[in-house]
Amino acid sequence: MSLLIAVALAAGAPATADTVIGRWKTETHNAIVEIARCGPSICGKILTSDAIRANPSMKDAKNANAALRTRPIQGMQMLSGFKADKDGVWSSGQVYNAEDGKTYSGKITPVGANQLKLRGCVFFPLCKTQTWTRVR
């Protein structure tokens, strides 16, 4: 009985910063993104993807800023500025999409210990959500 109560309490506990810290496999392109603390916020960089494995020297060629088009995709920061809300959701962040060279407003919602819902919006309600899975 006490085990059931402990499980119920843990399931209802708010997510902490540590919930989102780690390596995550994206829903598309078999990309791995590493999320870490960046001061009071969290940020994330691209470690690898199908395209990077095929071309390790791949550049950020579609970036809207011409000065950034020669930077490598591998190791590039694609998540920035996410702040923790009281309910464990990370919002007010930016999501950079190298496929179109644009930056979107973002929100990260932990779903248990091993999944995240990442939402990027041009402007609300024009949003897209992906489910990312923790890589162990």
Side-chain angles (χ1 to χ4, degrees):
M1 182 68 143
S2 62
L3 179 62
L4 290 175
I5 292 170
V7 170
L9 289 173
T16 65
D18 293 335
T19 305
V20 298
I21 303 301
R23 293 180 177 195
W24 299 89
K25 183 176 180 185
T26 67
E27 195 173 287
T28 56
H29 309 295
N30 292 311
I32 304 296
V33 175
E34 183 172 47
I35 297 178
R37 294 178 199 268
C38 293
S41 65
I42 57 170
C43 57
K45 66 181 178 180
I46 301 171
L47 298 180
T48 192
S49 69
D50 289 340
I52 292 170
R53 284 185 284 280
N55 178 9
S57 63
M58 185 176 176
K59 304 293 184 214
D60 189 16
K62 294 184 181 175
N63 196 302
N65 180 344
L68 297 176
R69 292 181 186 156
T70 59
R71 72 179 175 169
I73 297 283
Q74 187 171 28
M76 179 181 69
Q77 185 171 302
M78 59 145 325
L79 303 174
S80 61
F82 286 87
K83 306 276 190 272
D85 293 344
K86 62 182 181 287
D87 58 357
V89 173
W90 293 82
S91 59
S92 302
Q94 305 266 316
V95 180
Y96 176 71
N97 180 0
E99 286 185 358
D100 64 11
K102 295 181 181 173
T103 301
Y104 301 93
S105 63
K107 179 177 173 180
I108 299 173
T109 305
V111 181
N114 295 312
Q115 285 193 326
L116 300 176
K117 295 283 184 184
L118 174 75
R119 183 176 76 186
C121 302
V122 175
F123 58 86
F124 190 80
L126 295 177
C127 304
K128 182 177 179 181
T129 301
Q130 284 193 3
T131 300
W132 291 9
T133 305
R134 185 178 297 279
V135 176
R136 300 241 178 233

